[in-house]
Amino acid sequence: MFTASPAAIASPPAPSAEKDAQAPVTLSIVTWNSADSIEACLLSVLAQTHRNFELWVVDNASADDTCAIVASLAETDKRIKLHRLDTNTGFCGGHNYTLNRTSSEAVLLVNPDTDLAPDYLERALAALQKDERIGVVCGLLLQSPEEDARIDSAGMQALPDGRFALRLHGVRQSQAGPLAPRYVDGADGALPLYRRRFIDDLRVEGEFFDPRFFAHKEDWDVAWRGKLLGWRTLFEPACRAIHPRQFQPTNLRVRLRMSRKVRANAVRNQWIMLIKNTPRKQVWQMVTRALPRQLAILAYMLVAERTSLSALRYVWQHRKEILISRQLIQSRAREGWAPVAAAG
């Protein structure tokens, strides 16, 4: 359960609402050998003040006790639905499984290593209603429950070279100062609330998350596509949760402990994203900004991480499919903001 210190969770009173009248929402959790964290995560979800939801747990062929833990809790709460997959489809495949089989007006993605404050979902849903162009709401994620905890993320900001950075990552709350709701460039993938119209508007060949990504940088891709289509992402600091950051590919020490596949995916996904999402009028500007870093990455792979060169081979072999995705994205982006539901 959420156990952050009073200083960490202090926030305005939760919005009042008649619980029985609240609109249903879907929560999606993708697990893979998550036995060490999934029970605490599920308990924090079940303690939410907004109670009218369904919880899909999509398990990517875990080899540990993850499914047993989820199944045990599912016996005590019918809102939990466990879906066991025969193969590991990754973060993207797992969440696409949920998104393609549900129709609720909002979907909250929940990393299995997050611990939500009881009012996270209620506050996020209230924030989503502030503007019909808000497609995503993200909260303040803290790295630990300690007094004056470091911030894990406060949304994301776009960088000139096609990357995204976590806002205020690693900064103490006392150093960050008072935080207020504001529009940001994107939401970290650990705990975003998506509007269904946003999900459907961003679909490319039927899928919200690009299944080629498997995992890593998929939140960058969604943030970039959302901006291209005119949607807004709202950071609401009253929504709070704990999320100890695990994946840090730019940290060389951490990177060397990752599997070869994960390291190659991180490189491959960046290149796919640059090809798909850069508008034609910004291509040369993006090339001048992104090329120095990408050449440095290529040189590093040639010298010290040759297994990640498979990323280059993959992009070349799948170039036609990637270019088709680019054509679809850029064609939709030229139309401007026009939610699917409104257009239909």
Side-chain angles (χ1 to χ4, degrees):
M1 300 295 288
F2 192 86
T3 55
S5 67
I9 64 174
S11 57
S16 60
E18 181 62 41
K19 301 301 185 294
D20 293 339
Q22 291 174 333
V25 60
T26 299
L27 277 65
S28 177
I29 302 179
V30 175
T31 55
W32 179 73
N33 296 334
S34 307
D36 60 340
S37 63
I38 188 60
E39 183 173 15
C41 175
L42 289 177
L43 290 175
S44 75
V45 168
L46 296 177
Q48 291 298 296
T49 54
H50 181 105
R51 305 205 45 86
N52 191 5
F53 63 81
E54 58 178 354
L55 171 57
W56 283 45
V57 180
V58 180
D59 184 73
N60 273 322
S62 290
D64 63 3
D65 294 332
T66 298
C67 287
I69 294 170
V70 175
S72 178
L73 283 173
E75 291 180 357
T76 68
D77 197 310
K78 64 181 181 180
R79 292 174 296 177
I80 302 177
K81 313 294 183 184
L82 174 60
H83 300 264
R84 307 184 191 212
L85 304 186
D86 295 331
T87 58
N88 187 354
T89 63
F91 178 97
C92 295
H95 283 304
N96 278 344
Y97 181 94
T98 298
L99 298 177
N100 294 343
R101 292 166 174 81
T102 58
S103 58
S104 57
E105 289 301 309
V107 180
L108 179 69
L109 305 192
V110 183
N111 265 26
D113 59 350
T114 53
D115 187 350
L116 289 66
D119 58 358
Y120 188 101
L121 179 57
E122 183 175 353
R123 291 182 181 278
L125 288 169
L128 194 64
Q129 303 308 314
K130 292 181 178 180
D131 185 340
E132 66 175 355
R133 292 188 66 165
I134 296 175
V136 193
V137 173
C138 59
L140 178 64
L141 305 186
L142 306 172
Q143 293 183 357
S144 72
E146 67 179 308
E147 188 83 16
D148 196 21
R150 293 187 184 277
I151 295 172
D152 177 58
S153 75
M156 298 193 300
Q157 65 184 68
L159 303 180
D161 61 357
R163 294 180 297 143
F164 284 76
L166 297 174
R167 295 182 60 250
L168 303 178
H169 178 69
V171 176
R172 294 283 184 185
Q173 291 185 88
S174 58
Q175 296 172 328
L179 298 175
R182 58 168 292 177
Y183 290 118
V184 294
D185 292 325
D188 174 58
L191 207 56
L193 178 70
Y194 293 133
R195 189 188 297 271
R196 176 65 65 169
R197 284 187 288 137
F198 172 83
I199 294 169
D200 291 340
D201 201 18
L202 263 66
R203 289 182 184 274
V204 178
E205 296 184 284
E207 300 288 7
F208 177 70
F209 286 114
D210 189 330
R212 290 171 296 222
F213 276 40
F214 188 81
H216 311 311
K217 293 188 173 67
E218 73 290 324
D219 48 359
W220 294 13
D221 185 46
V222 167
W224 198 340
R225 284 189 280 136
K227 285 171 63 66
L228 286 174
L229 273 55
W231 287 95
R232 294 170 177 168
T233 297
L234 179 67
F235 164 63
E236 174 50 80
C239 301
R240 300 200 172 193
I242 296 171
H243 179 236
R245 180 69 45 174
Q246 300 294 330
F247 183 68
Q248 298 174 315
T250 57
N251 184 318
L252 185 57
R253 184 176 299 177
V254 174
R255 184 181 183 87
L256 292 175
R257 295 199 300 265
M258 297 176 180
S259 70
R260 294 177 178 178
K261 182 178 181 179
V262 168
R263 284 180 276 174
N265 280 350
V267 176
R268 184 188 73 189
N269 294 352
Q270 176 72 63
W271 292 345
I272 293 176
M273 187 171 58
L274 286 168
I275 295 170
K276 292 192 312 176
N277 298 336
T278 304
R280 182 176 180 180
K281 62 182 180 180
Q282 298 177 12
V283 167
W284 290 114
Q285 182 182 53
M286 182 61 71
V287 166
T288 59
R289 291 174 172 175
L291 189 59
R293 179 180 177 83
Q294 297 308 315
L295 287 177
I297 291 173
L298 182 59
Y300 171 78
M301 291 190 299
L302 288 169
V303 173
E305 196 176 291
R306 297 183 68 85
T307 55
S308 290
L309 290 172
S310 62
L312 181 60
R313 182 169 61 253
Y314 180 95
V315 172
W316 175 253
Q317 291 174 341
H318 295 267
R319 63 191 183 280
K320 291 183 179 179
E321 297 98 316
I322 297 171
L323 289 174
I324 289 174
S325 295
R326 171 183 170 77
Q327 182 180 18
L328 293 171
I329 292 168
Q330 298 304 322
S331 175
R332 170 63 189 86
R334 286 192 291 270
E335 298 173 6
W337 186 75
V340 170

